[in-house]
Amino acid sequence: MSSNGFKQQLFAQFARIGKAMSNGNRLELLEFIAQGERSVEELAKVAGLTVANTSQHLQQLRQSGLVTSRKEGLKVYYRISDNDVIALFSALRGVADRHLAEVTLLVQNYLTSRDTLEPVPHHELLERVRDGLVTVLDVRPEEEYVAGHVSGAINIPPGELEDHLDELDAGHEIIAYCRGPHCILAFEAVARLRQMGFNARRMEDGYPEWQASGLPTRKLQ
Amino acid sequence: MSSNGFKQQLFAQFARIGKAMSNGNRLELLEFIAQGERSVEELAKVAGLTVANTSQHLQQLRQSGLVTSRKEGLKVYYRISDNDVIALFSALRGVADRHLAEVTLLVQNYLTSRDTLEPVPHHELLERVRDGLVTVLDVRPEEEYVAGHVSGAINIPPGELEDHLDELDAGHEIIAYCRGPHCILAFEAVARLRQMGFNARRMEDGYPEWQASGLPTRKLQ
DNA sequence: AATCTATTCAAGAAATTATTTGAATACACA
DNA sequence: TGTGTATTCAAATAATTTCTTGAATAGATT
């Protein structure tokens, strides 16, 4: 009798993995962790969760064997336990893409909505910055940023986007700009950010036009 | 603003797949369905669930796109929607095998426990049959079964096991016997059944010994 | 038409999960 | 040694899930 229900016990264990992946926030955390080792604080910020809540989700991920953690000084860093977890995640993503009509719809809708393709006009941006709703991203080289930028904007030079993801808040919409209305850097940044799942748009025109309109700017040094 | 939270919505959709796989009973159903099209009743029996409960689980599996169903007459047949679902399932299983210590333990324990390797003695079997706890399986050719078998045993001739899985109850322990204590058929059947996840053991001795002990038997015709 | 059968639906109880809040821990730095 | 910081823990609440029970449906069979 000791082995009775062996099969049930086994499937209950398999279900722990499913359970770990049964929550959108946990999946989002998992995806960020998949990009490289991350601290709890970073993860909380990027997922738009409280630190305590994030910590609890991370512990579930750890208990299900999907991630491991390591303490260094004050911080605890989480990482994917193994490549097979990445494979599992992408299998899940693939099944969702192919079999859930909602996903197809959602993606189509997002990529084609007027709202996401059109640049944000200056006046609209000003309001949203005031309300703390958006992150303004300057994608020009650092020298140009230092010489003057849209007030409140952060600078991530071209090509360094992937290394500075932790400076971006997933909950916020990101508005990117560079030198002018046809500057390719902003287009590229938006495309890249969207691929990574961020909610990104381009600002109408660029820094010179902003400055010329007398809108708030800032210089370093 | 219409696309705000796009990322969250997307992950929430991915989570539906995880949710579908977050329950042991559903995973067990999924595995049976993966072996081929099955009706609700068959699935309920093999998973040891009520029909209503099984139906509800199946609907969750269907809503998450993992299975599809087709109605024929009174019956509804469920099948895996696509091969990528099988791949997902086996990725999940693999991650569980490699990262959950409990799985390793469980399997090791099961394969090596005295309880599962030793044959069931006659007197123990009698009790359990009386209590309705076990399925007794006669693995001899049909002619021999017809000529006389252990009272209450069902017959699945050698080689036909895979075609008669629906006659077996996954909740029950299955006790297999054939001609005698060294008859290889019973050993094989137990090995095969265990591979398929059933809880199977061999009966001590075989039919001739059972009969000779004056224990309850039955003839057909 | 009446009955039977396989499945689904609906409602409710018990268990589990997600999130928030505030306190506890554990390490670093002054 | 005391203060600050990152993370975890613990308790409480709201929401969700699981399973049971009994009724409803829809297609066969008599």
Side-chain angles (χ1 to χ4, degrees):
Chain A
M1 192 108 349
S2 85
S3 70
N4 205 351
F6 164 72
K7 201 173 179 180
Q8 266 77 10
Q9 287 182 283
L10 202 56
F11 279 109
Q13 292 301 325
F14 295 162
R16 287 173 59 196
I17 307 285
K19 217 168 274 180
M21 304 182 88
S22 72
N23 176 280
N25 287 331
R26 270 198 300 277
L27 287 179
E28 190 171 0
L29 291 171
L30 196 59
E31 203 206 30
F32 281 117
I33 298 173
Q35 291 166 25
E37 216 180 41
R38 297 267 187 268
S39 72
V40 178
E41 201 185 17
E42 286 177 290
L43 290 167
K45 190 177 173 201
V46 91
L49 302 175
T50 65
V51 171
N53 193 7
T54 302
S55 172
Q56 284 171 191
H57 281 308
L58 290 172
Q59 277 160 77
Q60 286 194 57
L61 289 175
R62 184 171 51 197
Q63 278 158 26
S64 64
L66 299 181
V67 307
T68 58
S69 65
R70 148 186 98 79
K71 187 159 191 173
E72 184 181 313
L74 282 183
K75 301 199 175 185
V76 177
Y77 292 94
Y78 284 82
R79 74 167 83 189
I80 294 289
S81 66
D82 190 8
N83 276 334
D84 60 10
V85 174
I86 309 267
L88 172 59
F89 188 87
S90 86
L92 183 139
R93 191 170 199 140
V95 168
D97 282 348
R98 285 186 288 278
H99 300 294
L100 292 180
E102 288 86 345
V103 171
T104 321
L105 255 164
L106 211 50
V107 171
Q108 239 174 38
N109 214 28
Y110 176 62
L111 292 178
T112 61
S113 73
R114 226 187 66 99
D115 210 44
T116 59
L117 290 175
E118 294 215 340
V120 185
H122 291 163
H123 65 272
E124 196 185 326
L125 181 54
L126 260 184
E127 282 168 31
R128 299 232 221 146
V129 170
R130 248 199 313 269
D131 299 344
L133 291 172
V134 299
T135 301
V136 184
L137 178 62
D138 185 319
V139 292
R140 298 172 301 160
E142 201 182 338
E143 308 83 57
E144 299 182 40
Y145 175 79
V146 170
H149 55 264
V150 169
S151 183
I154 63 171
N155 174 238
I156 302 181
E160 296 182 25
L161 204 52
E162 277 74 7
D163 304 327
H164 297 270
L165 290 178
D166 52 326
E167 295 171 28
L168 300 173
D169 188 328
H172 277 193
E173 190 174 17
I174 298 165
I175 312 292
Y177 72 90
C178 58
R179 292 166 191 135
H182 306 303
C183 174
I184 199 75
L185 293 175
F187 283 98
E188 277 181 5
V190 167
R192 203 107 49 83
L193 285 169
R194 285 196 191 167
Q195 270 188 344
M196 291 186 286
F198 286 94
N199 186 5
R201 290 170 70 189
R202 224 164 34 83
M203 184 176 85
E204 186 183 46
D205 305 326
Y207 180 66
E209 290 83 357
W210 178 275
Q211 192 184 24
S213 310
L215 293 167
T217 65
R218 200 164 151 252
K219 268 184 221 196
L220 297 182
Q221 286 151 12
Chain B
M1 191 109 345
S2 86
S3 70
N4 206 350
F6 165 73
K7 201 172 178 182
Q8 266 77 11
Q9 287 183 285
L10 202 56
F11 279 110
Q13 292 301 325
F14 295 162
R16 287 173 60 196
I17 308 284
K19 217 168 273 178
M21 302 181 89
S22 72
N23 176 281
N25 287 331
R26 269 198 301 275
L27 287 179
E28 190 170 358
L29 291 172
L30 196 59
E31 203 206 30
F32 280 118
I33 297 173
Q35 290 165 24
E37 216 180 41
R38 298 267 187 266
S39 71
V40 179
E41 199 184 19
E42 283 177 292
L43 290 166
K45 190 178 176 198
V46 91
L49 301 175
T50 64
V51 171
N53 193 8
T54 302
S55 172
Q56 286 173 183
H57 280 307
L58 290 172
Q59 277 160 79
Q60 286 194 59
L61 289 175
R62 185 173 50 197
Q63 277 158 27
S64 65
L66 300 181
V67 307
T68 59
S69 64
R70 147 184 98 80
K71 186 157 191 176
E72 185 180 312
L74 282 181
K75 300 199 175 183
V76 177
Y77 292 94
Y78 283 83
R79 74 167 84 187
I80 294 291
S81 66
D82 190 8
N83 275 335
D84 60 9
V85 174
I86 310 267
L88 172 60
F89 188 86
S90 88
L92 184 139
R93 193 172 197 139
V95 168
D97 282 348
R98 284 184 290 278
H99 300 294
L100 292 180
E102 289 85 344
V103 171
T104 321
L105 256 164
L106 210 50
V107 171
Q108 237 172 41
N109 213 28
Y110 175 64
L111 291 178
T112 61
S113 74
R114 229 187 65 99
D115 208 44
T116 58
L117 290 175
E118 293 213 341
V120 185
H122 290 163
H123 66 272
E124 196 185 326
L125 180 56
L126 258 184
E127 281 168 32
R128 298 232 223 145
V129 170
R130 247 197 314 265
D131 299 345
L133 292 172
V134 298
T135 300
V136 184
L137 177 62
D138 184 319
V139 292
R140 297 171 303 161
E142 201 183 337
E143 308 82 58
E144 299 181 39
Y145 175 79
V146 169
H149 54 264
V150 168
S151 183
I154 64 171
N155 175 238
I156 302 182
E160 296 181 26
L161 205 50
E162 277 75 6
D163 304 328
H164 296 271
L165 290 177
D166 53 323
E167 296 171 27
L168 300 173
D169 186 328
H172 277 192
E173 189 173 20
I174 298 165
I175 311 293
Y177 72 89
C178 58
R179 292 167 190 134
H182 306 302
C183 173
I184 199 75
L185 293 176
F187 282 98
E188 277 181 4
V190 166
R192 205 108 48 86
L193 285 168
R194 286 195 188 169
Q195 270 188 342
M196 291 185 287
F198 285 94
N199 185 6
R201 291 170 70 189
R202 223 165 34 83
M203 183 177 86
E204 186 184 47
D205 305 325
Y207 181 67
E209 290 82 358
W210 176 276
Q211 190 183 28
S213 309
L215 292 166
T217 66
R218 197 160 152 260
K219 266 185 224 197
L220 296 183
Q221 287 148 11

